[in-house]
Amino acid sequence: MTGLMVGAVLGFMAMGMGVPLLLALARLFGVYAVVEERTCRVYVFLGRVVAVLDEPGLHLLWARLGWKALLVNWVGRCHVIDLRLDQQYLRSLAVNSEEGAPMGIGIWYEMSISDPLKYLFENADPRGSLAANVSNATVRCLSNMKLGRMLESRHGMSRTVRAEVSPMSHAYGYQLGSVYIRKVHFRDAGMIHQIEEKVVNRLRQVTSAIRQDGANQVSILTSSADRQAAIAFAKAAALRPRIVGAALQRIAQDPEVSTAMFELLEVQRLQEGSARVTLVPEAQKDELLVQLLASTPPPRG
């Protein structure tokens, strides 16, 4: 039982170490190669391209290269190229508008390698050359444009630059994808300050005009409301005497009602007034009048 366990452990270790070692030796001597997704392998042997593998999966090099597969990893060279989509952003490219304003343009573009052989052997720096091409095309196509169009039509400018650069990008092994102008700005600080002042002054003028218009509308509404109120109050003041006269005329038709009403009004006025009222009993009225007359001093003269 112990020997079986030792054999199993040794077999597991041999498989765990031997299989990766065997596969590494097979790759070293060119038995096979594994191409990953969105990658490309270019094999160069004695200065010549002998194979280009761009299909993902397992490839038997002996079937493709013959006897060269044994020596390609020793004498030759294998270039592994990334074919995935890449992107780059060029900041503040100097462009002058038709009015002479110094502008800066930031352009963003996508690219991917479409021809690995041109990418490797026809240009020492294909990525830099493509960036220089995009920069030159941007300056060439967008210079001397009207300032208003340059600030408003970024989509049209993006299409113009892409149409200009796309044919040239194939010479470097690239395929140009989306091109988009993300930023258009002024490069002169003094001009930026002047534009800011103009915008602020314009906003102040618009705000002042809006406030004045609002005040005028309020004045118009207030005057109209006061006029209508004055007309209504005048009509009410004109109708009041007629209504009161008609009511008094109807009341005067009954003397008892008329007398009682005027007495009530008189009492009400006395209650509302500030004068002091002294009530004298009917039996003592004559005596109090005599006393008041007696106490009144005679007139002089």
Side-chain angles (χ1 to χ4, degrees), residues 25-44:
L25 290 175
R27 289 193 299 270
L28 185 62
F29 286 101
V31 176
Y32 75 96
V34 178
V35 179
E36 297 180 357
E37 289 283 346
R38 299 300 297 167
T39 60
C40 177
R41 287 176 175 263
V42 178
Y43 289 92
V44 180

Side-chain angles (χ1 to χ4, degrees), residues 32-76:
Y32 75 96
V34 178
V35 179
E36 297 180 357
E37 289 283 346
R38 299 300 297 167
T39 60
C40 177
R41 287 176 175 263
V42 178
Y43 289 92
V44 180
F45 184 73
L46 298 178
R48 297 182 61 184
V49 177
V50 293
V52 178
L53 304 179
D54 54 0
E55 291 292 333
L58 181 67
H59 295 265
L60 298 177
L61 296 181
W62 287 359
R64 296 287 299 270
L65 304 179
W67 61 273
K68 296 177 184 178
L70 296 173
L71 302 176
V72 71
N73 290 327
W74 299 87
V75 180

Side-chain angles (χ1 to χ4, degrees), residues 123 140-141 187 210 212 265 267 276:
N123 197 301
R140 184 172 61 255
C141 296
R187 292 189 292 113
I210 292 174
Q212 186 63 40
L265 290 175
V267 173
R276 298 179 62 183

Side-chain angles (χ1 to χ4, degrees), residues 145-204:
M145 290 181 62
K146 290 187 177 296
L147 182 59
R149 182 184 174 192
M150 189 177 295
L151 293 174
E152 296 175 358
S153 60
R154 290 188 295 174
H155 296 286
M157 294 190 296
S158 301
R159 289 193 294 268
T160 302
V161 174
R162 189 182 187 282
E164 180 73 16
V165 179
S166 290
M168 303 178 184
S169 63
H170 296 290
Y172 310 123
Y174 274 109
Q175 180 180 1
L176 196 66
S178 299
V179 177
Y180 187 66
I181 294 176
R182 296 182 60 185
K183 185 177 182 181
V184 179
H185 63 94
F186 294 95
R187 292 189 292 113
D188 189 358
M191 182 177 293
I192 295 173
H193 184 64
Q194 292 177 1
I195 293 174
E196 288 177 351
E197 289 183 350
K198 289 182 179 179
V199 172
V200 171
N201 292 333
R202 180 58 179 165
L203 290 176
R204 288 175 179 172

